[in-house]
């Protein structure tokens, strides 16, 4: 009887230890689960904040773009179309907005605007990639049209395609107005890069 009592006592003690260990494990599990939930919630909030900031930046860029276009006589729809065309080529928002903003000042009609976004810039990007950033090219084209002398990356776009810079400067000097110089730059680059643009679009359709 004494042995049986001892066995029962040992069993009861073992059962109590098992229950205590189980309770501890459950508490640990609950605690870890709570930590996991908190971690997920924190990650979700962080992601939401980042998305909100990204959306705010995007709206700001689109506001700048729309203002640049309407201030220069273009429509908001033209701004959106130019941005989409360039963003589709670059896959990057800031560069596309910057290039489009320069085009708003460089072009004074939708035909020339479409020539730049549809022929010239995709062709330049397809030919040279990041070695000739298109937002820098559009800025240089703007400056060149104003000062009547080839500047910056426009010189690269001409020289690398076989156009003599000095000869082009002579052509610019014969133009009487900034609009004529804009037209010369647009026509020349379209002739140089239009075919590359068509091939690029066909390949990446």
């Amino acid at each position: 009887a004494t042995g049986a009592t001892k066995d029962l006592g040992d069993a009861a003690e073992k059962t109590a230890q098992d229950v205590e260990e189980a309770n501890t494990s459950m508490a640990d599990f609950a605690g870890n689960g709570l930590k996991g939930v908190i971690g997920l919630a924190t990650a979700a909030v962080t992601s939401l904040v980042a998305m909100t900031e990204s959306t705010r930046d995007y709206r700001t860029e689109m506001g700048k773009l729309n203002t640049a276009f309407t201030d220069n006589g273009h429509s908001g729809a033209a701004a959106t179309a130019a941005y989409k065309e360039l963003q589709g080529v670059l896959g990057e928002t800031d560069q596309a907005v910057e290039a489009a903003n320069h085009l708003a000042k460089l072009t004074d009609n939708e035909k020339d605007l479409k020539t730049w976004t549809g022929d010239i810039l995709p062709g330049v990007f397809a030919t040279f990639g990041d070695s000739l950033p298109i937002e820098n090219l559009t800025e240089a084209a703007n400056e060149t049209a104003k000062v009547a002398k080839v500047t910056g990356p426009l010189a690269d776009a001409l020289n690398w395609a076989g156009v003599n810079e000095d000869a082009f400067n002579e052509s610019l000097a014969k133009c009487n107005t900034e609009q004529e110089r804009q037209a010369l730059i647009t026509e020349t680059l379209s002739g140089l890069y239009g075919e590359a643009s068509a091939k690029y679009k066909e390949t990446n359709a």
Side-chain angles (χ1 to χ4, degrees), residues 85-92 95 116-117 119-135 137 157 160 193-194 196-197 200-201 204:
E85 187 81 37
L86 297 177
Q87 207 277 341
V89 173
L90 295 169
E92 206 279 331
Q95 286 178 284
W116 275 91
T117 60
D119 295 335
I120 297 172
L121 297 183
V124 170
F125 180 79
T127 305
F128 301 116
D130 292 335
S131 63
L132 184 52
I134 63 174
E135 71 276 19
L137 173 60
W160 295 351
Y193 295 103
S197 175
Y200 175 81
K201 290 180 179 181
N204 295 279

Side-chain angles (χ1 to χ4, degrees), residues 162-197:
V163 175
N164 182 275
E165 183 179 336
D166 291 333
F168 193 77
N169 278 329
E170 291 177 7
S171 297
L172 286 170
K174 294 176 183 177
C175 296
N176 296 315
T177 65
E178 183 176 334
Q179 285 70 31
E180 288 183 7
R181 292 190 289 272
Q182 289 171 353
L184 174 62
I185 295 167
T186 300
E187 182 181 350
T188 302
L189 292 181
S190 178
L192 293 173
Y193 295 103
E195 185 176 347
S197 175

